[in-house]
């Protein structure tokens, strides 16, 4: 193929199998009717009629914005009020001890880009879990770093501290900095949630591995689905674990408005740094602001101002919390239908606690999904399983889905 691309860019292409399956599902639904198609690919909340949910309080906040609030350039770091609101909304009553500051980013994706770019070197390994969101691979690869993964869960379905320790120790035997992305809350694709003790165990591993003082750890809790992971204050308790850490451990929360505020396409989020050291927090803002200037420049003003308007009114926050709680319950109900039927059908799934997705571990996932598509069911094949978006499949359509899956697994000769 004739190519003009520079060596590092040659051969790359973004063929996203999730969006591709989604497009096929939409095309089929247009042809034969929405009620005939089960689209379990989409990572957005759809209501029981299949419509995208946009929280009312968010819709109203957008309607109230002035042209200036929509169109003016925002400061590169982000509006101060917006950043403070992100910090408050992220931590709730569990704000960790230490210096905390934030930089605006286009969603959680922007956070991950900057952390990889600014805290690891070209050629370094970046540590992620074996069950992970596919975009991590591209974010790491496109920055010319290498993906290294460890087994997220033990056989009996808990955080695998020992696999985590082994990977951290090994990487730090060769690198000065280790960047770890840990989507430990309402994990995509499994729905697993690490307990406070498990987060503590992860942090203890990092403390031990860096205690000599000549190595540094940058832990990135990816909290994209935080707002649908449990009761508001209860599910935030783990943030306390990140307080009072040694100065060579920096925690950067990947906070996003995509899910919690249903602002997916607005591309708005924030990287929130937590450290016990004044210089580290200053450097955090300086270097990430610099990278923002050098990549996307300023972020979306309208989305930041919509959040500011919501957060300055306690009544609106109450409404936001109530709406989210309602969708959290709906997703739990959908997941419960699937899990009950899956158990009856003998279909195994990775321990699900909360969040947008359930994972069915299986070999030959592509063949299983191909067979399901013949029955108008669209799911996402992963390397080691199949992802079902419980956020987007109605309760009615969830009924019988485990049975279809059991049959497709049989037809494809796949093993669990
Ligand atoms: C695990 C995980 N992290 C982060 C994100 C960030 O998404 P966004 O950049 O839209 O905020 C997503 C979105 O699907 C996700 O699944």
């Amino acid at each position: 193929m004739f190519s003009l691309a520079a060596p590092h860019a040659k051969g790359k292409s973004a063929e996203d199998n999730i969006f591709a399956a989604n497009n096929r599902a939409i095309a089929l639904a247009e042809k034969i009717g929405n009620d005939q198609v089960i689209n379990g690919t989409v990572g957005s909340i759809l209501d029981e009629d299949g419509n995208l949910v946009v929280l009312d309080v968010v819709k109203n906040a957008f309607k109230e914005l002035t042209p200036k609030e929509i169109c003016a350039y925002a400061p590169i770091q982000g509006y101060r009020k917006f950043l403070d609101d992100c910090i408050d909304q992220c931590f709730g009553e569990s704000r960790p001890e230490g210096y905390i500051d934030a930089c605006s980013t286009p969603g959680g994706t922007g956070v991950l880009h900057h952390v990889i770019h600014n805290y690891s070197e070209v050629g370094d390994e970046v540590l992620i879990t074996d069950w992970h969101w596919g975009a991590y691979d591209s974010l790491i690869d496109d920055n010319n770093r290498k993906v290294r993964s460890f087994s997220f869960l033990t056989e009996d379905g808990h955080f695998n501290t020992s696999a985590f320790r082994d990977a951290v120790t090994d990487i730090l035997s060769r690198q000065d900095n280790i960047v770890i992305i840990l989507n430990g809350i309402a994990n995509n694709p499994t729905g697993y949630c690490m307990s406070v003790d498990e987060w503590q165990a992860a942090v203890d591993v990092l403390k031990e591995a860096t205690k000599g003082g000549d190595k540094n750890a940058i832990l990135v809790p990816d909290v994209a689905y935080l707002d649908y992971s449990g009761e508001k204050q209860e599910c935030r308790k783990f943030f306390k674990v990140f307080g009072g850490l040694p100065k060579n451990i920096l925690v950067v929360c990947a906070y996003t408005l995509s899910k919690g505020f249903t602002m997916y396409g607005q591309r708005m989020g924030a990287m929130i740094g937590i450290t016990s050291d004044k210089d580290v927090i200053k450097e955090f803002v300086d270097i990430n602001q610099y990278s923002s200037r050098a990549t996307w420049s300023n972020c979306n003003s309208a989305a930041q101002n919509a959040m500011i308007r919501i957060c300055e009114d306690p009544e609106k926050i109450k409404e936001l919390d109530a709406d989210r709680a309602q969708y959290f319950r709906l997703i739990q109900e959908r997941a419960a239908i699937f899990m009950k039927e899956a158990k009856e059908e003998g279909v195994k799934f990775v321990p699900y606690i909360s969040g947008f997705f359930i994972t069915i571990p299986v070999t030959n996932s592509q063949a299983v999904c191909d067979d399901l598509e013949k029955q108008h069911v669209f799911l996402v094949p992963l390397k080691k399983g199949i992802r079902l978006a419980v956020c987007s499949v109605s309760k009615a359509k969830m009924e019988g889905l485990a049975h279809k899956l059991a049959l497709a697994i049989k037809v494809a000769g796949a093993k669990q």
Side-chain angles (χ1 to χ4, degrees):
M1 187 187 118
F2 181 63
S3 161
L4 295 185
H8 72 273
K10 261 192 214 312
K12 289 178 180 169
S13 70
E15 224 193 87
D16 189 311
N17 63 346
I18 300 177
F19 285 108
N22 182 33
N23 288 342
R24 289 199 298 279
I26 291 171
L28 185 66
E30 274 168 11
K31 221 161 91 191
I32 64 171
N34 212 5
D35 54 330
Q36 300 298 313
V37 176
I38 299 180
N39 184 355
T41 64
V42 192
S44 318
I45 307 175
L46 302 188
D47 65 18
E48 289 292 276
D49 298 322
N51 302 310
L52 181 78
V53 170
V54 182
L55 300 175
D56 283 342
V57 69
V58 172
K59 268 187 240 172
N60 293 334
F62 272 104
K63 277 189 209 144
E64 286 167 14
L65 293 179
T66 63
K68 186 178 164 197
E69 284 173 318
I70 297 170
C71 294
Y73 276 131
I76 303 261
Q77 187 183 356
Y79 290 107
R80 188 65 250 176
K81 265 187 162 177
F82 166 77
L83 299 170
D84 291 339
D85 289 341
C86 285
I87 294 168
D88 282 350
Q89 284 293 313
C90 181
F91 299 138
E93 292 169 1
S94 300
R95 189 183 167 116
E97 295 271 311
Y99 294 98
I100 294 177
D101 209 342
C103 292
S104 63
T105 59
T109 305
V111 180
L112 301 174
H113 172 272
H114 274 15
V115 176
I116 294 164
H117 187 72
N118 286 328
Y119 290 97
S120 67
E121 282 188 59
V122 169
D124 272 1
E125 287 183 331
V126 173
L127 186 61
I128 58 176
T129 52
D130 53 352
W131 290 118
H132 62 264
W133 181 40
Y136 289 172
D137 297 299
S138 322
L139 278 155
I140 295 168
D141 175 60
D142 201 41
N143 271 292
N144 301 309
R145 275 68 166 170
K146 294 190 202 102
V147 173
R148 169 77 181 267
S149 65
F150 71 99
S151 178
F152 185 26
L153 301 173
T154 55
E155 283 289 311
D156 59 346
H158 293 288
F159 177 65
N160 197 336
T161 311
S162 122
F164 180 62
R165 182 182 299 109
D166 290 349
V168 168
T169 314
D170 178 53
I171 292 173
L172 282 181
S173 70
R174 292 183 303 276
Q175 294 177 197
D176 291 338
N177 275 18
I178 181 169
V179 170
I180 304 136
I181 304 170
L182 202 42
N183 177 213
I185 290 298
N187 171 263
N188 173 2
T190 65
Y192 186 74
C193 280
M194 290 167 64
S195 65
V196 176
D197 287 348
E198 288 175 334
W199 281 105
Q200 185 63 59
V203 165
D204 288 345
V205 165
L206 298 182
K207 275 188 182 166
E208 181 62 26
T210 59
K211 71 172 182 233
D214 56 338
K215 305 276 177 174
N216 311 309
I218 296 88
L219 174 64
V220 187
D222 180 346
V223 296
Y225 301 93
L226 175 68
D227 290 308
Y228 305 94
S229 68
E231 190 281 321
K232 184 172 181 182
Q233 300 307 341
E234 192 60 36
C235 71
R236 286 170 160 78
K237 284 194 169 149
F238 74 98
F239 284 123
K240 281 279 184 193
V241 164
F242 306 136
L245 296 179
K247 65 179 181 184
N248 55 342
I249 302 179
L250 168 67
V251 177
V252 182
C253 294
Y255 182 75
T256 173
L257 275 59
S258 294
K259 329 282 166 175
F261 284 77
T262 59
M263 287 196 203
Y264 317 90
Q266 286 295 307
R267 312 306 308 133
M268 204 59 242
M271 55 199 309
I272 305 177
I274 310 160
T275 165
S276 56
D277 191 270
K278 215 173 170 177
D279 294 340
V280 171
I281 204 70
K282 182 177 182 315
E283 180 188 60
F284 169 79
V285 172
D286 287 348
I287 63 177
N288 288 305
Q289 205 173 194
Y290 184 88
S291 292
S292 298
R293 190 61 176 127
T295 46
W296 52 73
S297 193
N298 348 52
C299 287
N300 182 333
S301 272
Q304 293 184 58
N305 282 313
M307 181 171 185
I308 291 170
R309 279 182 177 261
I310 294 168
C311 294
E312 66 195 5
D313 181 347
E315 284 308 309
K316 288 187 181 151
I317 293 186
K318 262 194 212 156
E319 193 187 331
L320 175 74
D321 290 344
D323 274 8
R324 280 177 185 157
Q326 179 200 326
Y327 287 107
F328 166 64
R329 279 193 300 274
L330 176 65
I331 295 169
Q332 289 281 312
E333 285 164 18
R334 291 170 176 174
I337 295 171
F338 177 79
M339 290 193 287
K340 177 176 172 285
E341 294 188 357
K343 279 179 195 151
E344 288 162 6
E345 296 285 340
V347 173
K348 288 188 196 141
F349 49 90
V350 182
Y352 171 88
I353 298 175
S354 59
F356 281 21
F357 309 103
I358 289 182
T359 285
I360 297 95
V362 71
T363 61
N364 227 355
S365 60
Q366 185 65 57
V368 180
C369 287
D370 289 347
D371 187 70
L372 284 168
E373 281 200 25
K374 288 184 199 145
Q375 302 170 61
H376 309 161
V377 177
F378 293 80
L379 302 182
V380 176
L382 309 170
K383 267 190 209 128
K384 298 199 304 177
I386 292 172
R387 191 185 83 168
L388 159 64
V390 276
C391 56
S392 59
V393 177
S394 69
K395 288 194 271 185
K397 287 185 178 178
M398 205 59 96
E399 279 167 21
L401 184 55
H403 180 65
K404 289 186 177 134
L405 202 50
L407 289 181
I409 291 172
K410 221 178 187 175
V411 170
K415 300 256 170 324
Q416 279 211 288

